[in-house]
Amino acid sequence: MTVTATTSITACGAGREAVVRPPAPAAAEADADRDADEQAARKAALDAYSGYLTASRTASRHSDPYAPELSRFLADPLLTRVRMAIRDAKEHGAMRTGTLKSDPTVTAVSLIGVPATVEIQDCLDATGYRLVYTKDRRAVPGSGGKRYLATATATRYPDGRWLISAGAAHQDQPC
């Protein structure tokens, strides 16, 4: 006599419900979104950098370390450093005048980190930008300008603004 046993096997497991997830966006869509976000960050950072240079030149020309334009484009610790430099020049009877030429480029974008940052490199041409005595507009000795490398970091703050938070002039590195 032959006995045959049959059993039913449930593949999904007893008592479990299947979770249906929407399909992940196509790789091309995700890349396009990432590229658009990166381009927007680049533009916003370069706009903030340009605003920083303009605000700093204006504040320096007027010897006003608390010009409101500075805080529109700068954040600490760079904001405090710029204000101190303007104040020091003012206390010594000097101010900046002339033209500072800039040719910035974005060297890195990090949107994953918190906060998001954009690194900027610039070749500043300060040959027409001078520190002069306020009374007679004579150039302060040793303050002649030249072309040099500058770097800056733009940071996205929680309110969505991009501000320049760090910067360095590498005057020993011509460009």
Side-chain angles (χ1 to χ4, degrees):
M1 170 186 221
T2 308
V3 177
T4 308
T6 56
T7 39
S8 81
I9 301 173
T10 306
C12 294
R16 293 189 190 171
E17 295 180 17
V19 176
V20 178
R21 295 184 183 165
E29 260 184 60
D31 287 346
D33 288 346
R34 189 172 31 258
D35 288 347
D37 290 346
E38 188 173 302
Q39 287 303 318
R42 286 173 180 268
K43 181 183 179 333
L46 288 172
D47 288 348
Y49 183 76
S50 175
Y52 148 55
L53 292 179
T54 300
S56 143
R57 284 190 306 258
T58 301
S60 294
R61 190 176 318 114
H62 295 110
S63 298
D64 182 4
Y66 295 99
E69 295 83 24
L70 291 172
S71 60
R72 283 186 54 215
F73 300 104
L74 290 163
D76 279 323
L78 186 58
L79 176 59
T80 298
R81 281 189 24 226
V82 168
R83 284 180 168 163
M84 287 176 59
I86 294 169
R87 190 189 69 207
D88 287 348
K90 181 179 180 177
E91 287 176 357
H92 289 96
M95 64 180 216
R96 293 251 176 221
T97 187
T99 304
L100 180 66
K101 296 178 184 172
S102 171
D103 186 24
T105 58
V106 171
T107 58
V109 177
S110 174
L111 299 179
I112 296 172
V114 177
T117 59
V118 173
E119 299 298 325
I120 298 169
Q121 183 172 307
D122 195 358
C123 179
L124 288 175
D125 181 352
T127 56
Y129 195 54
R130 300 271 189 250
L131 185 63
V132 299
Y133 292 110
T134 307
K135 287 184 181 182
D136 57 12
R137 305 277 192 226
R138 283 184 307 118
V140 172
S143 68
K146 58 184 177 176
R147 292 172 53 91
Y148 58 89
L149 178 70
T151 55
T153 301
T155 302
R156 183 173 55 201
Y157 284 80
D159 63 3
R161 293 183 305 153
W162 285 89
L163 302 173
I164 306 302
S165 58
H170 308 279
Q171 294 187 6
D172 59 330
Q173 297 180 29
C175 54

